[in-house]
Amino acid sequence: MAQLVGRSAELARLDALMAGLDRPGAPAVVDIAGEPGIGKSRLLSEVCARARRAGLTVLRGRATEYEQHLPFQAFADALADVDPGIMAADPALPELDLALHGIRQAPGEASGSGAAARLGLHRAITAFFTRLGERGLVLAIDDLHWADPASLELVDHLIRHPARGRVLLAVARRVRQTPTSLTAVLARGIDSGDVLDLALGPLPEDESIRAWAPDIPPYQAQQLYAASEGNPLYLLALLHAYRSGAPLRAILALSDTTDAVGVPNGLAALLLEELSTLTAPQHRAAEAVAVLGDHATPAMVTEAIGLSGKKVEEVGEQIRALVARDVLRTGPGGRWAFRHPLVRALLYENIERGRRAELHHRAAQELSRRGAPATERAHHVERSMTGWDGEAAATLEEAAAQWAATAPATAAHLLYVVLSHLPDTPHHVRRRGELVLARAQALGVSGNLRESRDLLHHLIETSGKDHPDLRTAAIAQCAVMERHLGHSPEATALLLRELSHQPGPSPGQAVSLRLALGMSALLTASYPEARSDVAEAVSIAGSDDNPTGEAAALALAALGEAYEGETQAAVRFADAASRLVDALTDPGLTDLCEALGWLAWAEALLERYADAERHFTRGLAVARRGGRLHVLPHLLTSKAFVHLTTCRLPSALEAAEEAETLARAAGSPDLLGFTLAIKTLVLLLGRPFGDDSALATAEEAVGVTSASKGWWASLAWCMLGHAAFVSGDPHRAQEAIIAAGGGRELPLLQPSIRPGQLDTLTGAALTAGDVDQAGRWAAQATREADRLGLDGQRAGALRAQASLAEHRGDNDKAVRLLEAAAEEYVRCGQSLWEAYTLLRAAPLVQRKGQDTRAAAMWHRAHRIAVSGGARLLVDLAELTRPQVMSDAPALPAELAELTAREVEVAGLLAEGLSNQDIAARLHLSRRTVETHLSSVYRKLSVPSRSALTRLITRVGLGVGS
C-alpha cells in the first residue's frame, strides 16, 4: 500500500480510539468526511490495515451510485468478506442466517421470524456484529453518501444502538452529496459523543510535494499543488499529466466545472485517458464489469457481452489484460471490480445509452435463467427498460411487493419505474390506480409523507365514478398521511366529505373511514365529536359479519372513552374488543395490528397491565411478520409505558428507543414527538440524578410538535414539565404543564392524565412557595381521580394531598395519605410508583420513631427500584436513607414479597394483637386488616395465625412503635 501522506493527526486519534474500543463512553462510529479525492478511502484503508495488524476482524463495504435502489447494498458488500467458515465453526451464531439472508437475498421473502420487518433485521445484524466484536471488529463503509435508504437506516440504528463489545463502525462520505437525513443523524451522534468527527481538509503543501513530486522543479510543483487545491487525487492526476508530457500551461487551464459524479471535467478526461488505449474487446469487458457491479463474475461478464459459454476463456484473457493494467482488481467471491469507484462511475456514464441498456438486459436474462429472485434481478430489469414491457413490469412489481416491508423506499422507486412506462390508456386506468395506491403506501411507510399524500390527492381526484373503491381506499390512506403530517382537520374534512357521498361506501370501507375519523378526532382532543361515528363503525361491522372491523372499532371506542375519563364505558368496550381479538388467529390479525395498539393503550390507561402486555406482545409479533411497520411505534410506546409503570426500566427504554427510531424513519413530527414524550418519562426514572437526557429529550419532543396543537403535542409539554421539575426548575415545570392544558385547571388535557399532572403541579407550586395554588391543584386532583375511579389515579391524588400535608407540617396525615397511596399502587400493579411513594413515606415514618417500620418501607422500595433498573429511585433511596436505616437489617428473604403494610400487619399479629386491635393501632378498618392477612397467608404459604406467628418469630421481625 502506498505511503499515507499528511494525515498523522487523524491517525493518532484513530489509533487511540482502536486501542480503547472497550472503554466506556468511547465513540462507536468514526465519520470520515471530505471532498471527492481528498483521501477518505485511503485513510479508511489505513484504518483497516492497522486493525488487521492489531488482530481485529475487518469487514469493508462500499456504496455505489448505481445501486442506490438495492437494499442494504453497502452492508451486503461488507458481509461478502465474512469467512464462510465462521458459521460452521461457531454454531452460536444463528442470527447470521437471518442477517445474511435478509441482506444478500430479499428481505421479507422468508416466512416466520426470518421475515421480521426491517427493525428485526437491524437487531439481527447488530447481534451478529456484537458477536464478532468479542474478538474485535472494524466495519468500514466507504462512499456512504451513495448508500441506499435501507443501508442509511441501518447506519442510523447502529449509531443509536451500537453493537456491544470492541466494535467500530468507520464510514467515509462526501459532505456535499450526503443526504440531509444522514447529516442530521451523524451530527446528533457527534453532539452526543457517540460519533468521532474526522473532517479531512487539504493536505499540507510541503509534505505533498516532498512525497509525490521530488523530481519536479519546485516552482512547477507548487503551481500544480495550487491547481489541485491540496486534493491528493487531483494532484496525482495533474502530476501524471505533467510527467506524460502535457504542457504545464494546458494542465493549469483545465476546466473546473463538475460532471455528474463530482469530478472536474478536465480531471475526468485524465482519468479516462488510460481507457482510450484499450482494445475493443477489453473495452467491452470493462463496460460489462461497470454495468454488472456485484454480479461481475467471469461467467456473467461473458453473458452480458453476448458471447456464448465457449468464449469464457477469451473473456478471461481480456480481464487479465485489464488486471495487468490495474484497471480491474479481484474482488470477493471471484468477482471483478474497478480499482477505484470513480473509474467505474466515469466509464458507466460514458457507455452509450442503448449499449448500457442492452448489457443490463442480458444480465437480467441470465439471472432469470439461473432462477434468481425478482429482488436480485430488479436492478438490471429497471436499467434495461426503454419502453413498456409487461414481463419486466411484473418483475419490478414482484420485487416491490417483497421489499415493501423491509425496504419501502426501494419498493416505491420500482413502482415509480413501472408507472413511468405504463401506457396512459383507458385499458390501464385501473392498474395505474392500484400501482399509485401501492406506491403511496410504500412512500408513507418509508417516511415520504408529503409525496405519499400528494399522490393520494391526485388519485382521489382522478379515480372518478368508475372506480369508487380506489377513491375510498385512497381517502382512508390519505387521512392517515394527513394525520401524521399534523393535518388532522384536513383529514377529518376529507373523511366527512367521502362519507356524505351517495351512494355511500361499502360496509367494509365505511368502517375504515369512520375509524380514521375517530382516530383523527382522538389526536385533536375532540373524540366526543366522533363518538357517534365510532359507534356506527361498531354497528356496521357487526351487521356485516366483519369481526376484525368490529374489534378495531371497539378497541378505538375503548381508547377514546379511556382518554375522556369515561372508565365504565371504556371497560365495557375493552372487554368486548378483547373477546373478539382473542378469538382470532394471528393471520386474521394482520390487518388489525393498529387496533391491537389501540386496545393495548386503552388497557394500560385502565390499569389492566397484564391484558395490555398480552395484546401489545401479540401485536408486535404479527406486525413484524406482516410488515406493518407503521403501527410498531404505537405498540412499542405502549410496551414502554407498561414496563415503566411496572418497573422494568431497561426493557422500557429499549422499546422507547426502537419506537423513536421508527418514528424518525417515518418522518412524522407528531409521531416522533409522541415517542420522545414516552421516552422522556422512561429516561427520567431510568437515569441517575443529574442526568439531563430526559430534559433534552423532552425539549426535542416539544420542538418537533411545535406546529401541532393535538394530543401528542400536549403530552410532550407535560413531559417537559415533569423533567423540569425533577431537574429543579419548578417555575418552568408549571409553565409547561399549564401550556399543555390550556390554563391552570388544565381544561384541554384529557381527564385520563389530569391527576398525574396535578400531582406534579402541586409539588412544583409548593417548591415555588405558592401554597394556596398547591392546595387548589391537590383538591382538583382528588376530584378528577374520584371521577375516574381507578386505583392508580386515586393514588396520584393522595400523593398530592400528602405533599400538601407535609409542607404544612402535618407528618401524621402525610404518612397516612402516602401509605394509602402505596396500597392503591399495590392493587393496580404500579410497582414503580409504589416504590417512589414508600421512599417518600419512610423518612416521615422514622421521624415518628418507628425505625423498623420505616426500614421495611425503605428496603422494599429499594429492592423494587434496584431490580427494576429505576436509577433515579435508587439514588433517591440513598439520599433518604437515615443513618439508623443503614444499620438496620434488610427485610428477611422470606418476607421480601410482602408490602410494607403487610409486613406491619404481620408483625403486630405476631405480637399477639387481634384483628380489631391491629385495625385500631393502624387506623384501618377490620375488613382491610383481614384483606392484608389473607394476602400475607397466600404469599408466605402459611395456613394459620399460629403458623404465621412462628414464621415471624423465626425470622426475627419486630415492629416497634
Side-chain angles (χ1 to χ4, degrees):
M1 185 179 293
Q3 176 189 3
L4 183 62
V5 175
R7 300 298 182 197
S8 55
E10 290 86 351
L11 285 173
R13 297 179 70 187
L14 289 165
D15 286 341
L17 178 57
M18 286 194 288
L21 281 180
D22 51 358
R23 189 179 72 250
V29 180
V30 173
D31 176 28
I32 302 174
E35 296 300 315
I38 201 67
K40 304 179 298 296
S41 299
R42 180 64 187 84
L43 182 59
L44 199 62
S45 296
E46 183 66 22
V47 171
C48 293
R50 294 185 180 213
R52 290 189 184 96
R53 289 198 294 271
L56 280 66
T57 300
V58 174
L59 301 179
R60 184 167 184 179
R62 184 190 299 276
T64 59
E65 185 181 14
Y66 302 104
E67 282 88 17
Q68 285 182 296
H69 295 290
L70 291 179
F72 303 103
Q73 186 273 335
F75 285 87
D77 191 33
L79 285 171
D81 292 339
V82 176
D83 183 351
I86 287 181
M87 186 61 186
D90 189 350
L93 288 177
E95 69 272 17
L96 181 57
D97 268 342
L98 174 61
L100 294 185
H101 173 82
I103 290 178
R104 290 177 177 164
Q105 304 300 321
E109 278 192 325
S111 59
S113 61
R118 59 186 186 270
L119 262 293
L121 184 58
H122 294 171
R123 289 193 299 272
I125 297 167
T126 304
F128 172 50
F129 293 150
T130 294
R131 186 74 178 181
L132 288 183
E134 294 175 3
R135 297 185 291 266
L137 170 67
V138 170
L139 173 64
I141 303 294
D142 204 355
D143 288 334
L144 188 64
H145 53 280
W146 277 332
D148 58 276
S151 291
L152 294 180
E153 280 189 2
L154 182 51
V155 170
D156 186 358
H157 181 85
L158 289 170
I159 292 173
R160 295 178 182 278
H161 312 287
R164 296 182 299 278
R166 299 173 62 216
V167 179
L168 179 67
L169 170 63
V171 301
R173 63 185 178 92
R174 297 180 183 177
V175 175
R176 295 182 182 180
Q177 291 173 266
T178 300
T180 303
S181 59
L182 176 59
T183 301
V185 166
L186 291 167
R188 282 195 297 269
I190 291 168
D191 289 342
S192 66
D194 297 320
V195 176
L196 173 64
D197 179 24
L198 281 186
L200 301 187
L203 291 180
E205 179 179 356
D206 290 345
E207 287 188 53
S208 301
I209 293 175
R210 191 163 54 246
W212 293 321
D215 57 324
I216 295 178
Y219 179 67
Q220 284 88 337
Q222 290 168 0
Q223 286 183 296
L224 291 169
Y225 173 86
S228 75
E229 297 182 347
N231 186 301
L233 179 63
Y234 299 171
L235 176 58
L236 290 171
L238 295 172
L239 290 170
H240 173 75
Y242 180 81
R243 291 190 179 103
S244 299
L248 182 62
R249 180 180 300 176
I251 296 173
L252 298 180
L254 290 172
S255 170
D256 61 356
T257 58
T258 301
D259 65 13
V261 293
V263 179
N265 286 331
L267 179 58
L270 289 173
L271 291 174
L272 288 172
E273 182 183 12
E274 63 183 300
L275 301 182
S276 65
T277 61
L278 299 179
T279 65
Q282 290 169 357
H283 203 274
R284 285 194 297 271
E287 289 179 337
V289 174
V291 165
L292 289 169
D294 284 346
H295 291 128
T297 62
M300 284 294 295
V301 171
T302 302
E303 294 296 333
I305 292 174
L307 300 176
S308 66
K310 301 176 184 177
K311 300 288 187 177
V312 172
E313 182 55 35
E314 179 181 325
V315 173
E317 290 180 11
Q318 313 308 327
I319 294 291
R320 285 191 289 274
L322 293 170
V323 171
R325 291 172 172 267
D326 196 28
V327 174
L328 298 182
R329 294 176 182 175
T330 306
R335 297 175 296 171
W336 300 106
F338 284 87
R339 71 166 186 268
H340 194 281
L342 284 179
V343 179
R344 180 197 172 193
L346 290 168
L347 177 59
Y348 184 93
E349 287 184 350
N350 281 274
I351 300 174
E352 188 273 324
R353 193 171 187 178
R355 168 71 176 159
R356 191 164 59 202
E358 180 185 2
L359 289 168
H360 279 296
H361 178 68
R362 287 177 180 159
Q365 282 188 318
E366 177 59 18
L367 288 171
S368 177
R369 189 186 66 79
R370 297 181 181 190
T375 48
E376 192 173 343
R377 292 179 278 129
H379 168 66
H380 294 294
V381 171
E382 170 208 342
R383 295 272 172 163
S384 64
M385 283 187 75
T386 56
W388 174 244
D389 182 331
E391 185 177 344
T395 299
L396 297 183
E397 289 178 46
E398 182 184 351
Q402 292 176 1
W403 271 329
T406 53
T410 297
H413 170 74
L414 295 180
L415 292 172
Y416 169 77
V417 173
V418 176
L419 283 164
S420 65
H421 291 289
L422 183 67
D424 190 10
T425 63
H427 177 69
H428 291 99
V429 168
R430 175 77 191 189
R431 186 176 183 185
R432 179 177 295 278
E434 292 170 346
L435 289 171
V436 167
L437 195 62
R439 181 166 185 259
Q441 183 173 6
L443 286 168
V445 172
S446 63
N448 294 292
L449 302 179
R450 286 180 174 79
E451 188 175 357
S452 173
R453 187 269 315 272
D454 292 345
L455 273 179
L456 291 166
H457 276 187
H458 181 72
L459 180 58
I460 291 166
E461 294 304 319
T462 58
S463 55
K465 297 180 180 180
D466 294 334
H467 304 285
D469 56 326
L470 278 178
R471 185 192 69 236
T472 302
I475 286 173
Q477 191 169 312
C478 186
V480 175
M481 295 300 106
E482 296 283 20
R483 194 173 75 218
H484 282 313
L485 287 167
H487 304 157
S488 288
E490 289 86 342
T492 299
L494 194 63
L495 292 163
L496 288 173
R497 186 185 74 172
E498 182 64 13
L499 285 167
S500 68
H501 278 174
Q502 294 298 329
S506 67
Q509 290 181 325
V511 170
S512 297
L513 293 171
R514 292 182 188 279
L515 289 180
L517 192 61
M519 194 61 195
S520 292
L522 192 66
L523 294 181
T524 54
S526 57
Y527 179 78
E529 298 174 12
R531 184 178 275 132
S532 61
D533 288 287
V534 177
E536 183 69 13
V538 173
S539 176
I540 293 172
S543 301
D544 194 41
D545 192 23
N546 177 6
T548 57
E550 186 178 4
L554 288 166
L556 182 55
L559 182 56
E561 300 301 346
Y563 271 174
E564 293 300 321
E566 301 296 336
T567 302
Q568 291 184 350
V571 167
R572 194 166 60 249
F573 287 127
D575 286 343
S578 183
R579 285 192 296 271
L580 284 173
V581 165
D582 293 346
L584 293 170
T585 63
D586 281 2
L589 286 174
T590 300
D591 293 327
L592 200 58
C593 293
E594 187 171 14
L596 280 170
W598 299 339
L599 179 57
W601 264 112
E603 290 167 332
L605 292 175
L606 293 171
E607 300 175 2
R608 296 177 163 194
Y609 302 116
D611 289 336
E613 181 144 19
R614 184 163 54 86
H615 288 128
F616 69 61
T617 299
R618 193 177 182 195
L620 286 168
V622 173
R624 286 187 169 121
R625 281 199 298 269
R628 302 305 198 264
L629 300 189
H630 62 291
V631 305
L632 286 179
H634 306 278
L635 291 160
L636 288 164
T637 50
S638 174
K639 177 180 179 179
F641 179 76
V642 170
H643 281 209
L644 165 76
T645 306
T646 54
C647 205
R648 291 173 280 173
L649 273 297
S651 56
L653 182 58
E654 181 181 354
E657 288 184 334
E658 185 179 347
E660 176 196 355
T661 299
L662 281 163
R664 289 188 188 279
S668 165
D670 282 0
L671 181 59
L672 177 58
F674 175 54
T675 60
L676 289 173
I678 299 300
K679 183 182 177 183
T680 294
L681 197 55
V682 177
L683 290 173
L684 195 62
L685 277 299
R687 294 288 169 84
F689 273 132
D691 186 287
D692 62 356
S693 57
L695 185 61
T697 302
E699 288 170 341
E700 184 182 1
V702 168
V704 298
T705 58
S706 60
S708 174
K709 296 181 180 180
W711 154 244
W712 287 345
S714 297
L715 186 65
W717 277 103
C718 288
M719 293 305 104
L720 177 60
H722 292 304
F725 181 50
V726 172
S727 68
D729 191 344
H731 297 288
R732 189 183 188 192
Q734 292 178 79
E735 291 168 0
I737 297 176
I738 290 171
R744 288 182 175 271
E745 294 185 358
L746 312 184
L748 300 183
L749 284 188
Q750 275 62 44
S752 59
I753 68 166
R754 283 184 198 152
Q757 312 315 310
L758 290 164
D759 176 28
T760 298
L761 283 172
T762 300
L766 290 172
T767 304
D770 191 348
V771 180
D772 291 340
Q773 182 59 57
R776 287 191 289 272
W777 274 329
Q780 184 184 351
T782 300
R783 294 193 301 272
E784 299 278 1
D786 287 344
R787 176 197 164 189
L788 294 171
L790 295 167
D791 295 332
Q793 300 282 15
R794 278 193 294 264
L798 288 168
R799 241 183 18 216
Q801 293 286 357
S803 297
L804 196 63
E806 182 183 0
H807 186 85
R808 288 171 174 166
D810 192 348
N811 285 350
D812 287 345
K813 182 179 181 180
V815 169
R816 287 197 303 273
L817 290 167
L818 289 171
E819 286 184 315
E823 291 298 327
E824 297 280 10
Y825 286 134
V826 170
R827 273 193 286 277
C828 68
Q830 294 184 13
S831 53
L832 177 85
W833 302 116
E834 177 200 353
Y836 172 61
T837 304
L838 290 174
L839 287 174
R840 285 186 53 185
L844 301 179
V845 170
Q846 191 181 38
R847 288 178 203 169
K848 297 172 63 177
Q850 299 176 358
D851 291 346
T852 305
R853 180 181 170 202
M857 288 181 168
W858 187 92
H859 281 297
R860 175 171 173 78
H862 185 262
R863 179 178 61 80
I864 293 172
V866 170
S867 63
R871 287 289 306 280
L872 185 73
L873 297 191
V874 173
D875 288 354
L876 178 62
E878 295 304 322
L879 289 173
T880 59
R881 184 210 300 247
Q883 185 59 42
V884 67
M885 269 192 209
S886 64
D887 299 331
L891 196 66
E894 293 91 334
L895 309 182
E897 292 304 313
L898 301 185
T899 67
R901 179 67 88 181
E902 288 168 351
V903 169
E904 192 174 19
V905 169
L908 291 172
L909 180 142
E911 292 180 8
L913 274 66
S914 67
N915 288 3
Q916 187 61 49
D917 292 337
I918 296 172
R921 174 80 68 87
L922 300 179
H923 305 287
L924 300 173
S925 70
R926 180 171 178 169
R927 187 180 188 86
T928 299
V929 171
E930 291 170 351
T931 299
H932 284 310
L933 284 173
S934 296
S935 177
V936 170
Y937 294 147
R938 177 177 53 80
K939 290 180 179 179
L940 300 183
S941 300
V942 294
S944 63
R945 293 174 69 92
S946 59
L948 177 59
T949 299
R950 287 195 298 272
L951 174 61
I952 297 299
T953 303
R954 177 171 61 80
V955 300
L957 178 68
V959 177
S961 60

